């Protein structure tokens, strides 16, 4: 007889099945805690991804493979560990997804670097790169200014787009994991609004011709400061509740919105235009200097996120269960907020506000590989880079000889996509709990 469905629609053992050690129909108060904690402890030893999946009553393999029932003709498998064959199939699928994402990123990078007023082809882009690293492969750009244009204008733009996309997507995955909230993204804790206030203040104080580095520094400092303020205001008696943190972020975002309106009202027309376009987001001002600032912060944040991934998997069981398994929940939450602040401010400081990347990409990756953060976080970084490079291609290709705001492109695409994702989730499992 096949295993029954639990209320969430997932496969699970029936409480009245033989071997439970109690009469049919009885259920103790510890059924949802002690066995879950024991299963989580075993799963944490082998795979943090399996733990998070078990916590969320989803497929523990993260790949859509359900444990076979006794009647399926095979051996009944554990819902946590799975068989070696299922594990190999899961990891082979994950490897293929990683390879596909990396291949797509390389292809999109070549296409993005080939777009512009100086005519170049993707083959010439690849040739220019290979010749620069000492390999005499591929054609060089035929246009006299092609090589200089690639290395001084387009390559910095492509690299910065990859870094910013990876930073925002990683920050979104971290926040959704630590808040257990599918709507969490960097803007929830005030990073984007604070950075906009900082950039707007520098623009108004310095005039329309304020140096780009001054604007980026103002955005970075204000974004970090706003995040710190949200955390301190939401902290009480040595603890930070998720609901309080989110509501504090909403209040700070509203206050920051008022400050931005005041800056727009008091700015000169030229400075006002600059503030408005900065909030729309763009990679138009990318330079190697800005790349050299962003890449160390992004790599450090990504490494810290991967290091925290096993604890996030345990936190998916709930705060009480995670504490029983040795997780310092308050320290984990504080560390996640710090890492998110660094990633998000490093991203928006040089590009302006770019919406929906941190919200959409983690959901898309969960659809592909499941909720385990050990795989979710690095793949989110790669897919985030893919999404932002693709959006930048659209920003430059949709209108001839025009550079559309990048935030506008991500919002126009991300809004309908998120609505589709919401409808899909609701039709399959009744929505997000």
């Amino acid at each position: 007889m096949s295993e029954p469905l639990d209320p969430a629609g997932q496969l699970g053992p029936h409480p009245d099945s033989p071997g439970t050690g109690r009469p049919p129909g009885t259920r103790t108060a510890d059924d949802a805690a002690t066995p879950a904690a024991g299963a989580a402890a075993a799963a944490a030893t082998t795979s943090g991804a399996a733990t998070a999946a078990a916590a969320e009553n989803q497929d523990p393999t993260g790949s859509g493979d359900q444990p076979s029932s006794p009647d399926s003709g095979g051996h009944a498998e554990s819902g946590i560990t799975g068989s070696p064959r299922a594990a190999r199939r899961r990891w082979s699928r994950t490897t293929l997804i990683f390879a596909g994402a990396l291949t797509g990123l390389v292809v999109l990078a070549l296409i993005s670097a080939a777009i512009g007023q100086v005519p170049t082809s993707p083959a010439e882009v690849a040739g220019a790169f290979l010749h620069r690293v000492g390999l005499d492969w591929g054609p060089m750009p035929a246009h006299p200014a092609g090589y200089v244009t690639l290395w001084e204008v387009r390559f910095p733009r492509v690299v910065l787009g990859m870094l910013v996309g990876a930073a925002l997507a990683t920050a979104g995955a971290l926040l959704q994991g630590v808040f257990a909230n599918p709507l969490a993204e960097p803007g929830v804790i005030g990073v984007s609004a604070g950075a906009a206030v900082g950039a707007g203040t520098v623009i108004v104080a310095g005039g329309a011709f304020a140096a780009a580095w001054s604007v980026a520094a103002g955005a970075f400092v204000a974004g970090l400061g706003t995040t710190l303020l949200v955390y301190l205001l939401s902290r009480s008696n040595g603890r930070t509740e998720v609901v309080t943190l989110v509501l504090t972020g909403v209040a700070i975002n509203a206050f920051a919105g008022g400050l931005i309106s005041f800056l727009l009202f008091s700015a000169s027309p030229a400075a006002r235009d600059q503030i408005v376009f900065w909030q729309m987001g763009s990679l138009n001002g990318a330079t190697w200097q800005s790349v050299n600032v962003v890449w160390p912060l992004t790599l450090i944040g990504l490494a810290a996120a991967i290091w925290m991934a096993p604890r996030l998997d345990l936190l998916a069981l709930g705060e009480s269960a995670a504490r029983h398994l040795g997780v310092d929940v308050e320290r984990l939450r504080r560390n996640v907020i710090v890492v998110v602040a660094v990633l998000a401010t490093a991203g928006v400081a040089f590009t302006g506000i770019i919406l929906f990347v941190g919200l959409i990409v983690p959901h898309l990756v969960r659809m592909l590989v499941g909720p385990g953060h050990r795989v979710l976080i690095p793949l989110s970084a790669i897919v985030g880079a893919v999404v932002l490079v693709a959006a930048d291609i659209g920003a430059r290709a949709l209108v001839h000889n025009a550079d559309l705001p990048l935030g506008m492109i991500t919002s126009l695409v991300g809004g309908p996509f998120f609505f589709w994702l919401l409808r899909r989730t609701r039709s399959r499992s009744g929505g997000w709990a």
Side-chain angles (χ1 to χ4, degrees), residues 90-271:
R90 177 178 72 249
W91 283 109
S92 62
R93 181 174 183 270
T94 301
T95 302
L96 288 176
I97 293 174
F98 267 98
L102 289 172
T103 302
L105 180 60
V106 172
V107 172
L108 289 174
L110 294 175
I111 296 174
S112 177
I115 296 177
Q117 296 183 4
V118 176
T120 51
S121 65
E124 292 174 340
V125 172
F129 176 79
L130 293 174
H131 281 76
R132 185 65 173 259
V133 298
L135 300 175
D136 295 331
W137 298 346
M140 291 291 288
H143 195 280
Y147 186 82
V148 175
T149 300
L150 285 175
W151 279 101
E152 298 300 325
V153 178
R154 298 184 189 173
F155 283 163
R157 181 179 186 128
V158 173
V159 175
L160 185 63
M162 292 180 181
L163 292 172
V164 173
L168 294 177
T170 302
L174 285 174
L175 282 181
Q176 291 173 13
V178 78
F179 287 169
N181 188 328
L183 297 179
E185 52 97 20
V188 169
I189 57 175
V191 175
S192 301
V197 171
T201 302
V202 172
I203 292 172
V204 171
F209 301 99
W213 279 92
S214 300
V215 175
F220 186 84
V221 173
L224 289 178
T226 304
T227 305
L228 177 62
L229 180 62
V230 170
Y231 179 77
L232 293 177
L233 290 178
S234 61
R235 188 177 176 86
S236 177
N237 297 325
R239 296 188 59 190
T240 305
E241 300 293 338
V242 172
V243 175
T244 305
L245 189 65
V246 172
L247 293 178
T248 303
V250 171
I252 293 296
N253 281 329
F255 181 74
L259 291 178
I260 294 171
S261 298
F262 173 76
L263 292 172
L264 289 172
F265 179 80
S266 58
S268 64

Side-chain angles (χ1 to χ4, degrees), residues 369-383:
V369 297
H373 288 84
R374 291 182 180 180
V375 177
L376 174 67
I377 288 176
L379 187 57
S380 293
I382 298 173
V383 176

Side-chain angles (χ1 to χ4, degrees), residues 51-65:
T51 307
E56 295 181 16
N57 290 328
Q58 295 181 4
D59 171 25
T61 66
S63 62
D65 300 321

Side-chain angles (χ1 to χ4, degrees), residues 284-341:
N284 195 31
T287 62
W288 285 120
Q289 288 78 14
S290 59
V291 169
N292 288 332
V293 173
V294 174
W295 78 259
L297 298 174
T298 301
L299 291 185
I300 291 172
L302 180 58
I306 295 174
W307 178 72
M308 291 185 290
R311 296 172 181 83
L312 291 173
D313 289 331
L314 295 178
L315 185 60
L317 292 171
E319 292 188 19
S320 178
R323 288 192 181 96
H324 285 307
L325 294 172
V327 177
D328 189 337
V329 175
E330 186 61 28
R331 176 182 295 180
L332 175 63
R333 189 169 291 147
R334 181 174 62 249
N335 292 342
V336 166
I337 291 174
V338 170
V339 172
V340 167

